[in-house]
Amino acid sequence: AQSVSQHNHHVILSEAASLELGCNYSYGGTVNLFWYVQYPGQHLQLLLKYFSGDPLVKGIKGFEAEFIKSKFSFNLRKPSVQWSDTAEYFCAVNDYNTDKLIFGTGTRLQVFP
Amino acid sequence: NAGVTQTPKFQVLKTGQSMTLQCAQDMNHEYMSWYRQDPGMGLRLIHYSVGAGITDQGEVPNGYNVSRSTTEDFPLRLLSAAPSQTSVYFCASRARKGSDGYTFGSGTRLTVV
């Protein structure tokens, strides 16, 4: 069965610091990869996605992620975070054959001014 | 275009009661899923559907039933509510395999006492 691991459970940063959130998955077949963000009290919104092609994908609000197939990783990055990036971030992996979308446990990001 | 609509937004049940969480989408999406979100556990897949008349189990299906009689609706039924089912429930939909990521509803916060 596929699974998703997010190693950072809680990250605290100051504004302008760089961000990298780890995501690893276990599944040998074809996958689609996603990062979602959940702002306090809101539902999930798609940040970015990888289906095929260039393994470096850019999303909204200056976020990007790199798919490294050999490491089964899809880490999220942002060069300079803002206070408004305070939220919970979820990595998700979609089994292409069954279309099951499985989430990691999430990383809570707090950015202080 | 309302997207994914979930009702109710909040619900309190007594142990043993039954209820149905409603989910409707107006985007003609084929794929629909139900997730529950619990602190520290991320989102866990309960049931999903790849089209009308087709449903399958996710990671945590016990205690929940679903049906998909139309493309638009995907209700989640709790036949005999238990305190362990206290959670926030999200419904999500997606157009087709290989398309964009899922669109999420705003959630239903369920408390079972």
Side-chain angles (χ1 to χ4, degrees):
Chain A
Q2 65 195 89
S3 65
V4 182
S5 297
Q6 291 183 245
H7 311 296
N8 315 104
H9 299 294
H10 190 191
V11 174
I12 302 173
L13 295 173
S14 298
E15 274 192 322
S18 63
L19 171 73
E20 180 159 4
L21 302 182
C23 174
N24 288 89
Y25 66 94
S26 65
Y27 183 69
T30 302
V31 295
N32 305 138
L33 301 161
F34 304 86
W35 275 96
Y36 283 85
V37 60
Q38 186 178 34
Y39 297 104
Q42 297 189 24
H43 61 282
L44 275 77
Q45 302 172 40
L46 181 65
L47 261 184
L48 49 78
K49 61 186 185 290
Y50 174 79
F51 280 64
S52 63
D54 189 345
L56 184 62
V57 293
K58 295 190 184 298
I60 60 172
K61 304 186 181 187
F63 286 91
E64 65 179 31
E66 184 176 13
F67 170 52
I68 303 178
K69 188 174 182 179
S70 60
K71 295 184 177 180
F72 296 90
S73 69
F74 190 56
N75 292 352
L76 181 71
R77 299 195 292 249
K78 185 171 185 178
S80 176
V81 295
Q82 301 174 314
W83 175 80
S84 58
D85 292 325
T86 294
E88 192 152 16
Y89 292 81
F90 294 94
C91 181
V93 175
N94 191 36
D95 176 345
Y96 184 80
N97 290 320
T98 64
D99 212 49
K100 279 187 183 180
L101 183 66
I102 303 298
F103 283 83
T105 53
T107 297
R108 177 170 294 180
L109 173 66
Q110 284 184 289
V111 181
F112 289 95
Chain B
N1 189 341
V4 179
T5 302
Q6 290 184 238
T7 57
K9 293 191 184 303
F10 302 93
Q11 183 71 49
V12 179
L13 287 180
K14 293 183 179 179
T15 297
Q17 285 186 315
S18 63
M19 82 158 295
T20 300
L21 307 185
Q22 300 292 344
C23 176
Q25 51 90 9
D26 61 358
M27 298 172 284
N28 202 32
H29 284 176
E30 295 178 8
Y31 297 84
M32 296 185 75
S33 301
W34 275 103
Y35 292 86
R36 59 178 290 174
Q37 183 178 23
D38 302 290
M41 305 190 77
L43 282 86
R44 292 179 291 170
L45 181 64
I46 304 171
H47 285 286
Y48 68 108
S49 168
V50 299
I54 307 170
T55 63
D56 206 345
Q57 296 182 347
E59 302 169 280
V60 288
N62 293 339
Y64 306 95
N65 284 344
V66 292
S67 60
R68 184 95 180 270
S69 56
T70 67
T71 300
E72 294 78 19
D73 300 298
F74 192 42
L76 179 71
R77 297 183 185 85
L78 285 72
L79 297 179
S80 179
S84 61
Q85 294 178 305
T86 293
S87 187
V88 180
Y89 292 85
F90 287 100
C91 179
S93 73
R94 173 175 168 173
R96 56 179 169 76
K97 186 180 292 190
S99 70
D100 282 340
Y102 277 88
T103 299
F104 281 80
S106 57
T108 295
R109 184 174 294 274
L110 175 68
T111 302
V112 183
V113 298

